Amino acid sequence: MTPASPSQGASTAAPDSNPTTPHGRLLTWPVIAWGLWDWGSAAFNAVITTFVFTVYLTSASFGAKADNEFALSVGLAVAGVFIALLAPVTGQRADRAGRTVFWLGVYTAAVVVISAMLFFVLPEPGYLWLGIILLGLGNVFFELASVNYNGLLSHLATKDRVGAVSGLGWGMGYLGGIVLLLILFVGFINPEVGWFGVTHENGLNVRVSMLVAAAWFGLCAVPVVVTLSGEKARRRRRALAEEELRGGERELAGLESEPTEPTEPGAPILRPESIVVSYRRLWRTLVALYRSHPEVLWFLLAAAVFRDGLAGVFTYGGIIARNTFGFSSGDVIVFAIAANVVAGVATIGLGRLDDVVGPRKVIIGALVILVVAGMLVFFLHDGGARVFWVLGMLLSACVGPAQSAARSFLARLIPEGREGEIFGLYATTGRAVSFMAPAMYGFFLWIGARLTGGGAGYWGILGIVSVLAAGLVLMARVEDPSGHISDLGD
């Protein structure tokens, strides 16, 4: 691998294109503005897709719970297929048009509008599919926004500060989710009569919470769009001024027929192309990666596997806490809040470690601890709540740093102008194996039931551990990034 050359984009050549410097301040306003998007995005991740709206949508108010859960899984699976197909191509097209910030704003606005529309999903069976369709669309636009959001990381930090910036954003996401959940729980969801006289009648407490979540995400997303658009406008004016000084160099190079002003500084000036051409270009990128940088494909595969295992830790942690270690419903909520706080603080605190020792070591170290702690949960399942509190906090402290380091790993590799495309592939590979953790969890539950004759819910943790271990084995053959990907073609 060779470092990116200045010709690969204006943000490489421009002296102020990276707001953070090797020895400069980490908490610059562009970095904080970027992190606020993560903080706000928890309104969709934590409130809508995890703890509030999906629980509401699968309740008995919409019909038989089992039927609701099946319908929801079908809807989200269809959304996952669209994400897998669209993420790399839409990211690539944003790269080539030089409109990453613009499309981040568009996709985020779509998520905000869809989140607000969830207010109209009444607790009646006839509204079930309206809720599922809106939730699926929200997932699609959220993932497309995330591709562009992740692609901005390399523009915000020099290579030796990417880990700290990524950890800051990811940690802010965890903490923002807890803050918003507490606000909604105290203000609307828990009391019989909440703020502004909101009650539980017709699911109004949940539906109003969707409006609050939409406003929360929208307000938190404004700073990054406005700030980075302003940064790009300033660089565009400087680039145009430099172009005038070159005295007609573009005409001599035969470029007079091209547009004279890029939509974002440093972006290639290209005419629109069809979706078919975009998919052909994506295929050429995959072939080029296979031939010249197979380690990147290995990382995408390894990251897809261990990220699914990391998701499984939080997805099934509450279930194991309640069914195996005897937590009450209130205990589970308290544990979830504590786990997210620990994950957020650990991710922010260990972001700098990523820069010092490299993202690969952070990922491998976190996965080793997760596998060991998971096995201890299995063997100490009779130890009671105190045991799970200790091991659960240890598990939580490792999930965020591994996720953040995976993002910074790619950010160190991607050449200027290809961020959306490669992060799109990152999203696609993750979706492609997202069945692994649920499938392995169920498989080991089945094995446990046959070996013990029932009551062996703790066996499911072995399914999560097996996915994490598989990701660890795959990650072991990947080396730390030593420079930008090169020679991917156009």
Side-chain angles (χ1 to χ4, degrees), residues 82-102:
F82 277 100
I83 292 167
L85 292 174
L86 293 175
V89 170
T90 56
Q92 174 206 100
R93 291 167 72 85
D95 289 341
R96 291 178 60 76
R99 308 193 76 186
T100 302
V101 177
F102 171 80

Side-chain angles (χ1 to χ4, degrees), residues 327-401:
F327 280 46
S328 66
S329 297
D331 293 336
V332 171
I333 293 175
V334 173
F335 177 82
I337 292 172
N340 277 274
V341 170
V342 168
V345 172
T347 305
I348 294 173
L350 293 177
R352 184 55 183 159
L353 183 65
D354 179 332
D355 296 325
V356 174
V357 304
R360 176 180 178 273
K361 291 184 176 67
V362 172
I363 294 170
I364 288 179
L367 291 178
V368 168
I369 294 173
L370 285 163
V371 169
V372 172
M375 294 301 299
L376 288 175
V377 169
F378 176 77
F379 287 113
L380 301 178
H381 64 273
D382 289 328
R386 183 175 298 179
V387 169
F388 192 74
W389 266 103
V390 173
L391 294 176
M393 291 303 105
L394 183 60
L395 288 165
S396 301
C398 293
V399 171

